[in-house]
Amino acid sequence: MPREQPAIERQRQALGTRIRDLRDHALLTQEDFAEMTGINRRTLQRIERGGDPRYSQLVRIAEALGVPLANLVEG
């Protein structure tokens, strides 16, 4: 499998940071956020660290944070 381009990795890192910052701003723990989104806490940790989320996970994250999906992914 070919290695991803550094730009894509940076974008995923930025997305994870945005999600974590928004979650922190909402004063939500990862446990609470996992419960709200229906996404496993370990999966959320991976996403916040720059993992590659599924579209359905991004939709649930955006809804739980009260932000449009476009704003979440565009930064």
Side-chain angles (χ1 to χ4, degrees), residues 32-72:
D32 293 337
F33 196 49
E35 203 169 299
M36 287 176 70
T37 60
I39 300 170
N40 181 285
R41 184 181 58 83
R42 289 185 191 252
T43 301
L44 286 171
Q45 285 176 330
R46 181 185 51 78
I47 292 169
E48 287 185 359
R49 290 184 183 138
D52 198 9
R54 294 181 180 160
Y55 178 79
S56 61
Q57 293 168 330
L58 288 175
V59 169
R60 289 186 279 172
I61 289 169
E63 287 176 356
L65 292 171
V67 298
L69 179 60
N71 290 7
L72 183 67

Side-chain angles (χ1 to χ4, degrees), residues 15-27 48 65:
L15 173 62
T17 299
R18 269 194 306 283
I19 291 169
R20 185 183 63 240
D21 289 348
L22 288 167
R23 177 182 59 76
D24 286 344
H25 183 73
L27 303 176
E48 287 185 359
L65 292 171

